Amino acid sequence: MGESNLETPRRVAVPPKKPFSATLTSAFKETFFPDDPFRQFKNQSPSRKFVLGLQYLAPIFEWAPRYTFEFFKADLISGITIASLAVPQGISYANLAIVPPIMGLYSSFVPPLVYAIFGSSRDVAVGTVAVGSLLISSMIGREIHPTENPKLYLQTVMTATFCAGLVETCLGFLRLGFLVDYLSHAAIVGFMSGAAIVVCLQQLKGILGLVHFTLETDIVSVLRAVFTQTHLWRWESCVLGCVFLSFLILTKYLSKRKAAFFWINAMAPLTSVILGSILVYLTHAEKHGVQVIGHLKKGLNPPSVSELSFQSPYFMTAFKTGATVGIISLALTYIAPLMEGVQEGVAVGRSFALYKNYHIDGNKEMIAFGMMNLAGSLTSCYLTSGPFSRTAVNFNAGCKTAVSNIVMATAVMITLLFLTPLFHYTPLVVLSSIIIVAMLGLIDYGGIIHLWAIDKFDFIVSISAFLGVVFSSVETGLIIAVSLSILRLLLALSRPRTYALGNIPNSITYSSIEQYPSATNVPGMLILHIDSPIYYANTSYLRERISRWLYEEEDRVKSAGETSLHYVILDMSAVSSIDSSGINMVEEVRKIVDRRGLKLVLANPGSEVMKKLDKSKMIETIGEELMYLTVAEAVAACKFMLHSSKSTSEVELKMYDYV
């Protein structure tokens, strides 16, 4: 560093003061509108603003005027393809939710139409999802027995769907989606893997042809229910189950081997339903222990406004279930985990939007999912989202816009009006096979092992959520997942990393001595890096940790016979903000340092930190001359002051000797 820089070091500037209203507005915008969605309205006429607002709320008005016949041909093919998947999956997941099978078809008719209007993704295919169905049957079934009181159970499911839509819509409009970020990727991996195993175990009822089965979801209760009824196992059902499981797994394997064969996996569930129905009809297997769906009512969705029960004693159960399922969907939306089966909703849309190089707004998607669940609860549907399997098929089939959802809904409508009697002989064992194969993709054992290699605490979070779901209940697993995720966040905030910096040889770079063993300590100085904002939650820890660094460094210097300490330099480049407790902590550290006869130096405090230091008069207390832009400048200045102090002492000593 040049001599001129030492004589006139650059000082850390205090940002210009802003009015409180401007600061509050800026903070509000950064919190709720980081993507600045209103920039498109700037400098526009009132009529243009109205059009842009309409397009923002209902994206169909944006892309519909540009829609072409070429797009329609692609959407027609993809829509028919996903309809072939939606029909069997809808019926299967309805059985998982313990609601009438016809509701699975209802849920693939109205919600996709609503999403086509309000959704911003071109690829998401709407429908029921396995995890949502499991949560509904588990949480509501614990309070209301679905077979003993089916009407009340169904009313509570409808009300829960309404509550889920309300929660999703409110979070979208209020732009509060960041609240669901507290459910970590590790927790989601463990929770979903456990939920997948629970769902698969529940399907043993259909595979084995059992009539009575436990409503509990833990592995012990399920296995007890299976092995205490061995005398009721139906070999006919077991044989059919093994045949169709093998067929579905084979088609899934072939589609993964070659992407062009995606349609084989897409058509496999419907093919299984058709073949199973024909086989049962020809052999009269329903008379030999093979359970079938039975009668499905023809016709479109009946209104279900009267089924919503807000005065019911079970309303809180409905609200808790709806809010939980809705927030789980949003957590999957924002976290966008890497395991393919876990991705639902907006996470799916974002994943495929990257391939096609377009942007989707997460908050708008939340509103879209909320609106379709609100509409669904009024039209005999239960909770829907954007399942990955259906969306992947939609993408691979070459969809261009959300019209593919309209085509799918039209195909389901035709099924509801004319084809439902054909499903009378569909064996339940086929539906169980479809669910099991769909769930196998959710068991991400590789992801859990990967977490062990990367982060042991994340592994503990993941495996704890997994074990909670498998050995207790879905709710317990969810509570464990959320609790451990928040605990991880609190630990990271309350116990931030601090580490000593050293000089990289032949440079002015200062880095962690632990990370770079070649980095050397600067004689007479302790350089510490604080790696987080300073808040009330971590001030006590930081004060104690810095004190410990001090006496450890003094012991090291004494034992090594090096130059005694003179300066403590705090590198604050990672301290993005500080509160009043943090300011008090800095003052206390300064006093601790002063009592040891040392000087406290601050390097690279950011704008927010400088504002607080200025307002609290800490700049005058510490000394403006002891604040520097970089660690290198701080070290150079401290060396200069040490050298000057040493030279002055030598001159005074010589004068004393002369006298």
Side-chain angles (χ1 to χ4, degrees):
M1 184 175 291
E3 191 69 27
S4 60
N5 286 339
L6 294 177
E7 294 175 356
T8 57
R10 294 166 289 184
R11 297 302 180 193
V12 182
V14 178
K17 291 183 178 180
K18 294 182 180 179
F20 175 73
S21 58
T23 303
L24 184 63
T25 301
S26 176
F28 181 83
K29 182 178 179 181
E30 289 302 315
T31 301
F32 297 102
F33 303 99
D35 55 342
D36 192 14
F38 302 115
R39 64 184 180 278
Q40 58 181 326
F41 296 96
K42 294 177 182 177
N43 303 319
Q44 300 291 341
S45 63
S47 59
R48 181 58 182 164
K49 287 181 180 179
F50 174 79
V51 172
L52 290 173
L54 189 63
Q55 292 176 346
Y56 181 82
L57 293 174
I60 191 172
F61 292 108
E62 180 181 358
W63 55 261
R66 303 192 303 270
Y67 197 71
T68 64
F69 184 70
E70 293 299 319
F71 282 6
F72 177 72
K73 288 192 294 184
D75 288 335
L76 179 64
I77 295 171
S78 57
I80 293 173
T81 305
I82 57 175
S84 68
L85 188 62
V87 171
Q89 276 192 351
I91 297 173
S92 301
Y93 293 158
N95 280 336
L96 183 59
I98 320 180
V99 297
I102 194 67
M103 287 184 64
L105 296 181
Y106 291 160
S107 301
S108 295
F109 173 47
V110 172
L113 295 176
V114 176
Y115 182 81
I117 297 172
F118 295 102
S120 58
S121 173
R122 306 170 192 170
D123 303 287
V124 165
V126 170
T128 53
V129 291
V131 175
S133 301
L134 175 66
L135 282 168
I136 287 173
S137 63
S138 173
M139 297 181 72
I140 298 178
R142 194 179 300 276
E143 301 291 332
I144 308 167
H145 200 285
T147 55
E148 294 177 1
N149 201 340
K151 182 175 177 59
L152 180 59
Y153 177 83
L154 197 58
Q155 288 176 341
T156 309
V157 170
M158 293 287 96
T159 308
T161 301
F162 180 88
C163 293
L166 188 64
V167 168
E168 291 173 331
T169 304
C170 289
L171 289 178
F173 272 117
L174 298 176
R175 304 183 72 83
L176 296 175
F178 64 88
L179 295 177
V180 301
D181 289 343
Y182 294 104
L183 192 59
S184 68
H185 168 70
I188 284 288
V189 170
F191 171 77
M192 295 297 290
S193 296
I197 289 178
V198 166
V199 172
C200 290
L201 290 173
Q202 287 282 337
Q203 301 318 301
L204 291 176
K205 174 188 176 183
I207 296 293
L208 300 173
L210 299 174
V211 177
H212 302 289
F213 206 70
T214 179
L215 292 176
E216 299 296 327
T217 58
D218 64 283
I219 188 171
V220 176
S221 298
V222 173
L223 292 180
R224 184 187 299 119
V226 169
F227 289 105
T228 55
Q229 302 185 77
T230 52
H231 59 289
L232 298 176
W233 292 6
R234 305 296 303 202
W235 68 267
E236 301 93 340
S237 186
C238 292
V239 170
L240 273 178
C242 291
V243 169
F244 284 107
L245 270 175
S246 301
F247 171 70
L248 290 167
I249 291 173
L250 178 62
T251 57
K252 189 170 186 176
Y253 172 77
L254 290 175
S255 66
K256 283 188 174 181
R257 288 279 300 216
K258 193 169 184 180
F261 290 161
F262 77 92
W263 58 271
I264 297 177
N265 187 42
M267 298 296 293
L270 184 59
T271 304
S272 298
V273 168
I274 294 171
L275 293 176
S277 300
I278 293 173
L279 185 62
V280 170
Y281 177 77
L282 294 177
T283 61
H284 300 287
E286 77 278 10
K287 297 179 182 179
H288 300 281
V290 177
Q291 300 174 56
V292 296
I293 290 177
H295 175 69
L296 288 181
K297 185 173 62 174
K298 290 174 64 175
L300 300 181
N301 304 33
S304 57
V305 179
S306 60
E307 298 297 321
L308 299 180
S309 181
F310 301 110
Q311 303 298 325
S312 167
Y314 296 100
F315 173 73
M316 288 310 299
T317 298
F319 182 81
K320 182 177 71 172
T321 303
T324 301
V325 178
I327 290 174
I328 282 292
S329 298
L330 298 184
L332 297 172
T333 289
Y334 274 81
I335 297 170
L338 300 178
M339 55 186 294
E340 72 166 29
V342 171
Q343 299 186 40
E344 307 287 356
V346 187
V348 174
R350 283 176 174 165
S351 300
F352 289 106
L354 290 175
Y355 286 107
K356 293 187 177 180
N357 195 30
Y358 70 93
H359 172 72
I360 64 172
D361 187 328
N363 287 290
K364 286 167 65 176
E365 287 293 280
M366 275 191 280
I367 294 171
F369 280 95
M371 294 294 287
M372 73 184 189
N373 279 316
L374 287 173
S377 68
L378 305 178
T379 53
S380 300
C381 305
Y382 78 100
L383 193 131
T384 51
S385 184
F388 180 87
S389 57
R390 204 174 301 181
T391 301
V393 170
N394 197 31
F395 176 84
N396 289 325
C399 69
K400 298 297 182 183
T401 68
V403 168
S404 59
N405 277 291
I406 298 176
V407 174
M408 177 185 71
T410 304
V412 173
M413 178 187 71
I414 294 171
T415 302
L416 287 168
L417 289 173
F418 306 109
L419 304 179
T420 51
L422 300 179
F423 294 99
H424 179 92
Y425 291 100
T426 300
L428 296 184
V429 65
V430 171
L431 302 182
S432 296
S433 301
I434 292 171
I435 292 175
I436 289 174
V437 173
M439 291 299 98
L440 291 178
L442 293 180
I443 305 173
D444 191 13
Y445 58 87
I448 296 177
I449 295 172
H450 186 59
L451 288 174
W452 171 262
I454 296 176
D455 190 313
K456 301 299 187 291
F457 192 94
D458 271 353
F459 172 80
I460 293 173
V461 170
S462 185
I463 204 69
S464 299
F466 173 82
L467 295 175
V469 173
V470 172
F471 288 99
S472 182
S473 67
V474 177
E475 299 97 297
T476 301
L478 184 58
I479 291 170
I480 291 174
V482 173
S483 300
L484 290 178
S485 295
I486 294 176
L487 176 63
R488 176 66 186 269
L489 178 68
L490 293 176
L491 285 175
L493 182 62
S494 62
R495 295 294 184 269
R497 279 180 53 81
T498 59
Y499 47 85
L501 302 183
N503 179 238
I504 302 294
N506 303 316
S507 74
I508 58 170
T509 301
Y510 292 83
S511 298
S512 168
I513 294 174
E514 180 183 349
Q515 183 179 1
Y516 297 93
S518 62
T520 58
N521 290 296
V522 181
M525 303 176 206
L526 172 61
I527 309 171
L528 297 177
H529 178 85
I530 301 175
D531 204 23
S532 84
I534 303 176
Y535 291 120
Y536 66 92
N538 59 27
T539 53
S540 295
Y541 170 79
L542 285 173
R543 180 179 59 252
E544 293 167 4
R545 190 66 185 90
I546 292 172
S547 298
R548 179 177 151 197
W549 274 113
L550 269 173
Y551 67 70
E552 285 180 348
E553 181 66 12
E554 287 177 339
D555 290 345
R556 188 194 67 80
V557 167
K558 188 179 296 183
S559 62
E562 298 178 3
T563 305
S564 60
L565 279 179
H566 292 277
Y567 294 96
V568 177
I569 302 174
L570 294 184
D571 176 17
M572 305 186 75
S573 56
V575 182
S576 58
S577 59
I578 189 171
D579 65 1
S580 56
S581 298
I583 295 294
N584 291 334
M585 187 276 293
V586 173
E587 169 64 11
E588 290 171 4
V589 168
R590 186 193 66 81
K591 290 178 180 178
I592 292 171
V593 170
D594 281 352
R595 283 197 295 268
R596 293 173 178 265
L598 311 176
K599 289 287 187 181
L600 179 66
V601 179
L602 303 184
N604 196 20
S607 61
E608 291 300 315
V609 175
M610 287 301 292
K611 286 179 186 177
K612 300 288 179 65
L613 292 176
D614 180 49
K615 291 177 181 178
S616 62
K617 308 298 181 183
M618 279 296 294
I619 293 180
E620 292 86 347
T621 303
I622 295 174
E624 187 179 2
E625 70 281 1
L626 294 177
M627 296 183 181
Y628 298 91
L629 284 176
T630 65
V631 173
E633 288 190 7
V635 170
C638 290
K639 283 182 177 179
F640 179 77
M641 288 185 286
L642 274 175
H643 178 73
S644 300
S645 175
K646 184 177 180 181
S647 299
T648 302
S649 298
E650 289 176 352
V651 170
E652 290 177 351
L653 183 61
K654 287 180 180 179
M655 290 179 65
Y656 178 79
D657 291 341
Y658 177 76
V659 173

